[in-house]
Amino acid sequence: MTRPDTAARETTAGEGEFRSLMSLFPTGVAVIGALDAAGRPWGMTCSSLCSVSLAPPLLLVCVRSGSPTLGALTHAGTFSVNLLHHRARNVAELFASGDPGRFRHTPWHVPSHAAGPHLRDAAHAVADCLVDSAQRMGDHTVVFGRVSRVSVLTGPGRVPLLYGLRRYAAWPSGGSVADPD
């Protein structure tokens, strides 16, 4: 194994370089939601979502450490992950905007035993999660969620919304995805 030279290990990419790198990694788009102590909904667009474990079923989301959504979900100890479908770009943009009235502009509800708001018209699937742990890393907090319930919403045209190269796109239609060996 070749060891990198010391100079390469001591440098850090700039914010612009890092943003450019991550724009080259397409990902799905989700809205993370939680209710605060007064029952008010909070939410934000999130593309930093990753599966962690099958047993137990764990995922992680990365949330800006000063976010009111983070405050609500850590206080409640629960949150929802709404995976957006391709016709919900406006919802992704709304929840990324910081508009304090975002929940007045899109239909949502909290079903019985839900962990946070479900965006019924914008999501093609929702995971309800219990906060397992959280760890601050740089300017974000990594929240590990134990998935307690999954709701898959059916209907025509409910294909995933993707984000990459600083633009939104729909999952390609036609053809099928082969299972890996």
Side-chain angles (χ1 to χ4, degrees):
M1 182 170 141
T2 306
R3 292 186 64 172
D5 67 33
T6 304
R9 286 186 289 157
E10 292 176 359
T11 62
T12 300
E15 185 177 312
E17 288 176 296
F18 187 65
R19 283 180 184 261
S20 292
L21 171 69
M22 295 314 299
S23 77
L24 299 172
F25 185 68
T27 185
V29 182
V31 168
I32 307 307
L35 299 174
D36 67 14
R40 290 179 303 230
W42 291 90
M44 57 167 274
T45 299
C46 178
S47 59
S48 299
L49 167 68
C50 181
S51 64
V52 175
S53 168
L54 290 175
L58 291 171
L59 56 77
L60 69 77
V61 294
C62 297
V63 183
R64 184 179 52 81
S65 292
S67 166
T69 300
L70 177 63
L73 75 85
T74 55
H75 177 78
T78 62
F79 63 100
S80 59
V81 177
N82 294 269
L83 303 181
L84 301 186
H85 62 72
H86 76 288
R87 290 182 297 203
R89 174 183 176 170
N90 61 329
V91 173
E93 291 172 341
L94 173 65
F95 279 81
S97 73
D99 179 347
R102 61 192 85 163
F103 279 96
R104 288 192 303 263
H105 301 296
T106 191
W108 64 280
H109 68 292
V110 181
S112 177
H113 305 295
H118 287 210
L119 304 179
R120 63 175 160 235
D121 293 345
H124 65 90
V126 181
D128 289 298
C129 303
L130 305 172
V131 174
D132 191 72
S133 64
Q135 174 68 44
R136 187 172 179 143
M137 301 295 294
D139 59 359
H140 278 63
T141 297
V142 181
V143 179
F144 292 88
R146 185 179 297 251
V147 179
S148 61
R149 187 171 82 167
V150 173
S151 304
V152 177
L153 308 171
T154 59
R158 298 249 181 186
V159 297
L161 178 64
L162 304 175
Y163 187 77
L165 300 172
R166 295 187 173 95
R167 64 180 183 249
Y168 293 95
W171 187 269
S173 61
S176 62
V177 177
D179 289 330
D181 293 329

